[in-house]
Amino acid sequence: MTESTRVNKSIWRDSKFLAYMGSITFYSAGFSMQQLIISWLLVGVLVLPGDEVGLVQAAIGIPGLFLMLWGGASADNRDPRSILINVYAITWLFPLMLVVCIHYDLLNIWTILLFGLAVSTATSFSSPAQQAILTQVAGGEIQKAVTASTALMFLVQIFSLGFAGQMDNVGLSTVLTVQAGCILLGALAIMRLNKTAPLPQPADETSWQRLTNGFKATYNNKRVYHLLLINFISSVFNAGAFMTVVPFVVKRAYEGDALQLATIMIIFYLGATLTNLFMLRVMPIARPGRWFLLMQLSRVVILALLWIKPDWWLLIIAMFAWGLNMGVTTTLSRTIVQESAEPEFRARILSVYSLGLIGSAPIGAIVLGNIIEIFGTLEALIPAMFVSIILFIYGVFFSPIWNYVSPTSTIDR
């Protein structure tokens, strides 16, 4: 039996890793419903125009930009397990508060905004801690651990979105109650992990210095810096297109409902799940940076297909292909950051990584929301095509990502 085989088996027999995967299951179930709930409440229930939806989504996401860095610094300086337990123990109450608002006929743009802000704040603290714990329980198999956890999150999202898509039938209050229960179970699951001591930090380092040192560590690590820059710009137009443009495509171009939007999202995440299951079998990947950049370029074909407003069945295929694509880029970007980050700065660097993903959402929502209202719904997909081509060229010729070799690889560097 090879050393690699022994390591692979040990991951799945490690009680700490399995406990972490259990917490991921409930975490993903609760938080993945959030995207569909917010999108459909704004687009399908309140029927707001694209520019207003963009502003609301931006208002929900912007405060998390600053809190994400604080969350990363906290995860480096404290036990991340305790952070997750405390965050989950509070967050499960937020959906129930919105249920109360629905009961008293107070569902409006302001209550939706407050609900979104509350969950967004919780995510800002939970995401860096969650990723920091993954590194601790993964042992020497970072690529496989990242891929397995990502695949599980996508798989859970499929079932969660399928349920949340029934909100017109089972009732929004029922969906929100289930969301609250999932988040509470996530808190119980993470309690199975043991406390972990934070890595030694300078005794005289202030909270502000911890934040700025995280930025410095990210910038000084040129591989991580260029990856995060590409990922951020890509997310503004690509993830922004998925979160802001796709709900309008379903509502306006295809005259769909919440269930059809959920179907689109399920197909998307099904593709992402299958990609990760395939990568789990072929990992470790020697040159993850090359595949990450090639996926940027191939996305142009998928977006072009969506832009021509194909028949519904062809739209389904395009969304599945987009999910396959996104599954590769998401997992490989996380993998490269996890492998490249210095241990004492890992949570802070990961918080900057998450900051780029979350920060891109409000920017993309504002930009694409205005493009929708000025130029048309499908035209809002065009910028992502050009950006994807530019990012591929930049990544190949102006960054070290193309030539990056994973430390788990045996090929010559």
Side-chain angles (χ1 to χ4, degrees):
M1 181 181 294
T2 65
E3 179 65 24
S4 176
T5 303
R6 286 195 296 270
V7 172
N8 293 348
K9 286 189 175 181
S10 67
I11 289 180
W12 299 107
R13 293 177 179 176
D14 189 329
S15 59
K16 293 187 295 183
F17 182 72
L18 294 178
Y20 176 82
M21 294 293 275
S23 71
I24 284 288
T25 299
F26 294 114
Y27 167 89
S28 300
F31 284 89
S32 63
M33 296 182 193
Q34 186 72 9
Q35 180 182 340
L36 178 60
I37 291 172
I38 293 293
S39 295
W40 192 250
L41 285 178
L42 297 175
V43 176
V45 177
L46 300 185
V47 197
L48 299 179
D51 50 353
E52 289 187 25
V53 170
L55 287 174
V56 174
Q57 290 182 335
I60 289 172
I62 286 175
L65 306 186
F66 305 98
L67 296 174
M68 181 69 70
L69 299 175
W70 187 9
S74 299
D76 272 334
N77 196 48
R78 294 171 50 196
D79 171 29
R81 168 186 172 273
S82 299
I83 294 175
L84 288 181
I85 292 173
N86 292 333
V87 170
Y88 291 171
I90 297 173
T91 306
W92 76 283
L93 297 172
F94 300 146
L96 297 183
M97 292 179 183
L98 192 59
V99 171
V100 173
C101 291
I102 294 171
H103 179 74
Y104 288 101
D105 198 24
L106 296 174
L107 185 65
N108 54 51
I109 191 171
W110 297 108
T111 53
I112 294 172
L113 176 62
L114 289 174
F115 170 60
L117 275 172
V119 178
S120 174
T121 300
T123 304
S124 298
F125 282 96
S126 63
S127 181
Q130 186 186 68
Q131 296 187 62
I133 292 176
L134 175 60
T135 305
Q136 297 170 4
V137 301
E141 289 292 292
I142 293 294
Q143 283 198 13
K144 287 186 178 293
V146 169
T147 306
S149 64
T150 305
L152 179 62
M153 285 191 290
F154 287 148
L155 185 62
V156 172
Q157 282 179 321
I158 292 172
F159 291 101
S160 300
L161 290 170
F163 173 71
Q166 300 290 329
M167 69 178 80
D168 289 338
N169 299 320
V170 302
L172 177 59
S173 295
T174 301
V175 172
L176 290 167
T177 302
V178 172
Q179 181 190 27
C182 290
I183 297 172
L184 181 60
L185 289 173
L188 298 176
I190 205 69
M191 292 176 67
R192 295 174 56 195
L193 290 173
N194 297 325
K195 290 184 178 181
T196 56
L199 291 171
Q201 304 289 333
D204 58 346
E205 190 179 43
T206 65
S207 298
W208 177 251
Q209 287 174 327
R210 282 197 295 272
L211 292 177
T212 57
N213 287 341
F215 271 115
K216 290 178 182 177
T218 302
Y219 178 76
N220 292 333
N221 189 324
K222 294 306 179 184
R223 185 187 309 129
V224 171
Y225 169 74
H226 286 285
L227 178 75
L228 265 58
L229 180 62
I230 292 173
N231 220 40
F232 171 76
I233 297 174
S234 174
S235 296
V236 168
F237 294 97
N238 290 296
F242 178 72
M243 296 178 62
T244 303
V245 181
V246 168
F248 280 100
V249 170
V250 173
K251 178 69 175 178
R252 294 181 177 179
Y254 293 90
E255 299 181 352
D257 55 16
L259 182 58
Q260 286 178 292
L261 178 58
T263 301
I264 287 291
M265 290 184 169
I266 289 170
I267 293 297
F268 178 87
Y269 287 116
L270 177 61
T273 303
L274 294 178
T275 294
N276 277 268
L277 292 176
F278 173 76
M279 287 194 295
L280 193 60
R281 296 181 62 86
V282 302
M283 281 185 163
I285 296 174
R287 297 186 181 274
R290 295 191 177 182
W291 287 105
F292 171 79
L293 293 173
L294 287 170
M295 290 300 104
Q296 301 291 333
L297 187 62
S298 66
R299 193 180 297 128
V300 176
V301 178
I302 300 169
L303 292 169
L305 182 58
L306 294 172
W307 175 57
I308 64 174
K309 190 189 172 184
D311 292 338
W312 181 259
W313 66 270
L314 193 52
L315 176 71
I316 294 292
I317 293 176
M319 292 301 299
F320 180 74
W322 196 359
L324 292 173
N325 183 290
M326 190 276 290
V328 175
T329 56
T330 300
T331 299
L332 293 186
S333 63
R334 286 183 61 198
T335 295
I336 295 170
V337 173
Q338 291 270 11
E339 290 180 341
S340 304
E342 295 85 353
E344 65 271 24
F345 295 106
R346 180 171 285 122
R348 276 171 284 185
I349 290 177
L350 287 169
S351 72
V352 178
Y353 169 80
S354 298
L355 175 67
L357 294 179
I358 294 178
S360 64
I363 297 174
I366 292 175
V367 173
L368 297 175
N370 280 279
I371 291 176
I372 287 172
E373 295 305 320
I374 296 173
F375 298 101
T377 300
L378 294 171
E379 280 64 30
L381 296 169
I382 295 176
M385 302 182 209
F386 290 99
V387 167
S388 297
I389 296 172
I390 294 171
L391 291 179
F392 172 76
I393 295 172
Y394 174 82
V396 172
F397 296 104
F398 301 99
S399 83
I401 298 174
W402 182 263
N403 294 320
Y404 169 65
V405 179
S406 170
T408 61
S409 172
T410 58
I411 68 173
D412 294 334
R413 296 174 182 273

